[in-house]
Amino acid sequence: MRIRVKFMSLLILFSTSLFAQTERLSVLKNRVYNETGSNLYAALLALMEERNSIPVDSFQQYIHFVDSLAGDTISEHTKFLLNYYTTIVLQNSAAGPEVMNYCDSNIRVLENRENADQFLFRFLHLRAAQYVRMGQYKEAMKAYFDVLKKAEQQGNSEFVIAGRNGVGWVHMETENYKEAILWFYKAMSAAGNTNDLGQYPVVPQNLAATYNSIDQNDSALKYIDLSIRLALEGENLRSIANGYAIKADILIDLNRKVEAAKLLNDALEVRKQIGDVFYILSDMYQLSVFYSTYGECDKGILICKEALQMAKDFKIKSKELILHEGLAENYRACGDMLSYSNELERIMQLKDSINKAVSADALAEMTAKYDLEKKEQQIVRQELLLSRRNYIIYGSLTLFILIGVIGIQYFNQYRQRQGSMALIGMAKAREEERSRIAAELHDNIGTQLGFISRKIDIYRSGLNDAKVVSPLMLDEINIASRRTIADLRETIWTLKKEKVAFSQLADRLKVYAKKQLEDVENARLEIVEEILHDVTLSPVDSLNVFRIIQESVYNAAVHSRGNLVSMKFKTMENGEWSIEVQDNGIGFDTSLDYENHYGLENMKQRAGESDLKIRIESEKTKGTVVSLSFKDK
């Protein structure tokens, strides 16, 4: 037995000698090498607690070795511990559905076991994280709230932090950054102080990534440096690699190329040695951003395509969106505008798919439900405490109960009144929005359908008169039909949203412009973007903006007789934004009135409805410029 154990120990130690080794790992491995029997068993379990710094393949060998050492005498505690470690291995190397099935099978067993709460928490947390990896955000949010509620009820601070961090993670992945920051701060507050936070460097790490997403670089640097320090002190290689990758992304935005390149290389070097497909995909995206920024777009395209195939193979849908964004940026950097436009269309489809699967309303509803249940539990605890303290004063007990009941009833009535008022206000606002969009359908699309109907009547009446029927008439009907379908699609898209992000609106306008110019011979589309701070628009405002720019692009493509259309999108930190459409066509005299041409007048009217500033400049032979902007008062 001594020889066999020593031989297997040497194999394991040799297999782990090739990866970045921390001081703690070195001590634990030496302990494994020098121990035998039950002491070896305990030493191996202690070494496996350093799972965040051990390669996946080596960690899997440890699981098999411990299982073989225990044999038929393995305790239930150790059995579930090894099952938990096996799930971590699967999460880092297997496809999502396989991980989910393994999690669910363990949860079903643990739910029927007494004193199994700690392991149940672990598997519930792993399942919630797996939902995020698979891009199932609504399910992930529900799972994290389940973890959080159970942890708060049992006073388990470890999973209170994990649950709050998980809720923030879902908000971060769905680009709801304000809520994400709020929940990450809640997770940090649950830790109490920085020393207690040392076990959770992922919390300030996520906070830094979120601040970076909204271009608050100073805050992002502050929290990523804290995260890296905690990871280094805890000798957590996985968190060190994550921290380096996120900091590299921040430094790229700050144009600190040399520092960013070094951190990216350090992160990839550590990541390759410890392994985790989910985070390897993140690192590949970060590297593609580096390549697109510093003139190596060919490398960026290759690494994005490789990463997208890996995401497909391992069914990690949550990384597809950022990888397509990285691919689009590299196509643009290479000047391949056709591929760039195609990627924008894919990105728009992915975002629509995510919005369809999980809306901000659904996440807010879960958060409100959690907050309400928590308040109700607090009320119940307060009532119990009150009754215990006053139990000996029997004569006062009845009075306190009556006061409590009356207070609760008053609170419920007040809450109902407030809720009713809020619902009435929301319903009124939504009805106003929908009324205005209904008018849009009647005035714009109804007019186009009327035009089509009249043309068809003329066509029918002229069937016996060759002089009346013209192929041009059929072309007019075809063009009007296509525009009506496109207008209806954009109106429906707007109607389904509570608010529209400027970046999403810009994506749709770029796709529209691309399609309009497809049939124009030798026409080119140039796009300039400075969307540094995303802003949101109401459905009606976004529809008015779309119609104005739609009309501008249509005029440039169909009537200007030019061969170049450029679009510029710009936002500023104070909420101001602008869109400009310019062509190099024949132009026109803006001082003249053109009979039966109401496009310019409609554009000005729409701008006035949404309190927007519109500028139309044109001269004959010098092209046309249409500029639309919003300035906060």
Side-chain angles (χ1 to χ4, degrees):
M1 177 65 181
R2 170 73 179 179
I3 295 173
R4 174 177 173 271
V5 168
K6 279 293 180 183
F7 176 70
M8 293 192 73
S9 299
L10 284 169
L11 279 178
I12 290 176
L13 287 169
F14 177 75
S15 70
T16 59
S17 65
L18 300 177
F19 69 90
Q21 181 168 301
T22 67
E23 181 178 350
R24 186 179 300 151
L25 276 175
S26 178
V27 171
L28 290 170
K29 286 198 296 183
N30 286 332
R31 180 184 167 194
V32 169
Y33 181 79
N34 291 303
E35 296 289 1
T36 59
S38 61
N39 290 334
L40 173 61
Y41 187 84
L44 276 166
L45 290 177
L47 179 60
M48 291 169 73
E49 282 297 313
E50 298 300 309
R51 56 188 176 276
N52 288 316
S53 299
I54 300 174
V56 174
D57 292 340
S58 299
F59 194 66
Q60 194 167 17
Q61 290 179 31
Y62 291 154
I63 295 171
H64 293 318
F65 189 23
V66 172
D67 191 39
S68 65
L69 277 177
D72 296 333
T73 63
I74 189 170
S75 68
E76 188 169 75
H77 178 277
T78 303
K79 177 185 174 182
F80 283 118
L81 181 64
L82 295 182
N83 286 353
Y84 170 68
Y85 288 153
T86 300
T87 309
I88 293 174
V89 170
L90 290 173
Q91 200 170 56
N92 293 337
S93 59
E98 182 181 351
V99 181
M100 194 63 72
N101 289 336
Y102 196 79
C103 269
D104 288 341
S105 64
N106 280 279
I107 289 170
R108 283 193 295 271
V109 174
L110 286 164
E111 284 176 336
N112 297 318
R113 291 283 199 280
E114 291 184 3
N115 302 319
D117 288 333
Q118 193 65 14
F119 282 116
L120 182 59
F121 274 126
R122 291 187 182 189
F123 281 101
L124 289 173
H125 184 256
L126 282 176
R127 182 173 66 176
Q130 191 59 40
Y131 275 131
V132 177
R133 289 173 178 241
M134 294 167 66
Q136 298 180 21
Y137 298 116
K138 186 174 181 180
E139 293 81 358
M141 181 67 84
K142 183 179 183 303
Y144 274 123
F145 272 129
D146 287 343
V147 171
L148 184 54
K149 284 186 285 189
K150 285 182 172 64
E152 288 177 335
Q153 288 169 3
Q154 298 184 23
N156 189 318
S157 60
E158 176 185 355
F159 285 97
V160 167
I161 297 171
R164 292 178 179 179
N165 178 68
V167 173
W169 186 22
V170 176
H171 282 300
M172 180 177 70
E173 290 292 335
T174 53
E175 300 182 347
N176 191 4
Y177 298 125
K178 184 178 179 180
E179 282 294 314
I181 290 171
L182 175 65
W183 281 97
F184 292 141
Y185 276 125
K186 286 183 178 181
M188 291 182 69
S189 67
N193 56 57
T194 303
N195 293 329
D196 293 335
L197 193 62
Q199 300 178 43
Y200 311 98
V202 67
V203 180
Q205 199 171 90
N206 285 337
L207 193 53
T210 306
Y211 274 127
N212 186 43
S213 297
I214 57 176
D215 298 321
Q216 294 189 21
N217 296 321
D218 290 342
S219 296
L221 280 174
K222 170 187 172 182
Y223 285 105
I224 200 60
D225 285 340
L226 170 61
S227 172
I228 291 172
R229 177 172 68 80
L230 294 173
L232 289 169
E233 290 173 355
E235 300 183 3
N236 186 328
L237 293 181
R238 192 178 310 280
S239 289
I240 291 171
N242 291 347
Y244 286 164
I246 294 170
K247 186 170 183 178
D249 193 31
I250 300 168
L251 295 178
I252 289 171
D253 289 344
L254 295 173
N255 202 29
R256 290 159 62 175
K257 177 181 178 182
V258 176
E259 295 171 75
K262 182 180 183 306
L263 284 171
L264 278 175
N265 287 326
D266 290 346
L268 279 172
E269 198 62 30
V270 176
R271 189 86 71 199
K272 288 176 183 176
Q273 293 162 351
I274 59 177
D276 186 331
V277 176
F278 182 81
Y279 288 108
I280 287 173
L281 292 176
S282 297
D283 292 345
M284 294 172 80
Y285 163 73
Q286 300 288 3
L287 195 56
S288 77
V289 172
F290 181 87
Y291 286 143
S292 69
T293 305
Y294 294 107
E296 296 184 83
C297 54
D298 290 334
K299 293 181 180 179
I301 291 169
L302 288 175
I303 199 168
C304 282
K305 288 183 175 179
E306 180 186 352
L308 281 166
Q309 186 59 48
M310 288 174 63
K312 181 180 179 181
D313 292 342
F314 287 90
K315 294 182 173 57
I316 304 177
K317 293 185 68 64
S318 60
K319 293 297 179 187
E320 289 181 6
L321 179 59
I322 63 168
L323 291 172
H324 278 292
E325 289 174 344
L327 187 56
E329 285 304 311
N330 278 280
Y331 277 135
R332 184 168 71 163
C334 281
D336 186 350
M337 301 310 293
L338 177 61
S339 297
Y340 172 62
S341 297
N342 291 335
E343 282 303 310
L344 286 179
E345 196 157 359
R346 289 192 189 95
I347 290 167
M348 185 174 67
Q349 291 169 355
L350 282 171
K351 286 185 175 181
D352 283 350
S353 176
I354 291 172
N355 290 336
K356 184 177 179 182
V358 53
S359 65
D361 285 345
L363 298 185
E365 182 182 349
M366 290 184 193
T367 303
K369 183 179 178 182
Y370 161 78
D371 288 337
L372 180 60
E373 289 178 355
K374 187 175 179 180
K375 288 177 182 177
E376 288 175 345
Q377 289 170 2
Q378 289 175 344
I379 291 171
V380 171
R381 285 197 296 269
Q382 288 170 358
E383 289 177 350
L384 288 173
L385 180 61
L386 185 64
S387 63
R388 286 175 186 151
R389 286 181 177 177
N390 295 279
Y391 184 75
I392 58 173
I393 311 174
Y394 186 80
S396 302
L397 183 61
T398 304
L399 178 61
F400 280 114
I401 292 175
L402 288 173
I403 292 172
V405 170
I406 292 170
I408 292 170
Q409 289 177 343
Y410 179 79
F411 173 77
N412 287 335
Q413 290 173 358
Y414 174 78
R415 185 175 58 186
Q416 289 172 358
R417 285 197 302 272
Q418 293 296 104
S420 298
M421 291 173 64
L423 288 172
I424 291 169
M426 289 173 63
K428 184 177 178 181
R430 287 177 177 172
E431 184 60 32
E432 289 176 355
E433 293 287 299
R434 281 161 173 75
S435 296
R436 293 177 69 182
I437 293 174
E440 161 73 21
L441 289 170
H442 178 271
D443 296 342
N444 187 58
I445 297 175
T447 301
Q448 293 185 45
L449 291 173
F451 170 80
I452 293 170
S453 177
R454 289 194 301 275
K455 289 293 182 180
I456 292 173
D457 289 341
I458 294 172
Y459 178 82
R460 282 177 171 173
S461 65
L463 286 176
N464 297 321
D465 186 352
K467 294 181 181 179
V468 176
V469 179
S470 167
L472 291 175
M473 186 183 299
L474 296 179
D475 289 340
E476 288 179 345
I477 294 172
N478 181 39
I479 292 170
S481 299
R482 291 171 62 184
R483 289 197 71 184
T484 302
I485 292 169
D487 288 351
L488 184 58
R489 183 184 297 114
E490 299 306 331
T491 303
I492 291 171
W493 175 75
T494 304
L495 183 61
K496 289 168 63 178
K497 293 182 174 291
E498 295 295 331
K499 58 183 179 180
V500 179
F502 183 87
S503 58
Q504 292 178 325
L505 184 60
D507 288 344
R508 287 199 171 259
L509 287 168
K510 286 180 278 187
V511 171
Y512 172 80
K514 172 178 172 290
K515 289 182 178 178
Q516 284 296 320
L517 292 174
E518 284 177 350
D519 299 329
V520 181
E521 187 176 358
N522 298 323
R524 292 187 296 117
L525 174 65
E526 288 186 354
I527 295 173
V528 178
E529 286 185 315
E530 295 181 29
I531 304 177
L532 303 178
H533 302 274
D534 213 351
V535 295
T536 58
L537 291 79
S538 73
V540 169
D541 287 346
S542 66
L543 188 60
N544 280 335
V545 172
F546 189 92
R547 291 285 182 257
I548 294 168
I549 302 303
Q550 179 186 40
E551 183 71 21
S552 304
V553 172
Y554 180 79
N555 290 339
V558 176
H559 300 304
S560 76
R561 303 180 194 172
N563 61 2
L564 174 64
V565 177
S566 66
M567 301 180 74
K568 297 180 182 178
F569 301 89
K570 183 176 181 180
T571 63
M572 286 173 278
E573 190 172 359
N574 61 1
E576 297 178 7
W577 57 262
S578 64
I579 305 175
E580 182 178 284
V581 178
Q582 183 174 5
D583 66 65
N584 64 345
I586 59 174
F588 65 96
D589 189 342
T590 57
S591 65
L592 298 179
D593 292 328
Y594 294 89
E595 186 177 357
N596 296 326
H597 287 273
Y598 306 109
L600 298 180
E601 189 63 33
N602 287 339
M603 290 161 67
K604 293 175 182 177
Q605 182 178 346
R606 287 182 181 278
E609 286 179 3
S610 293
D611 200 20
L612 305 176
K613 181 180 180 181
I614 186 169
R615 179 172 56 87
I616 303 173
E617 297 179 350
S618 183
E619 291 185 42
K620 287 190 174 181
T621 75
K622 293 185 179 181
T624 302
V625 179
V626 177
S627 176
L628 188 66
S629 61
F630 170 76
K631 290 187 177 181
D632 198 8
K633 296 179 179 179

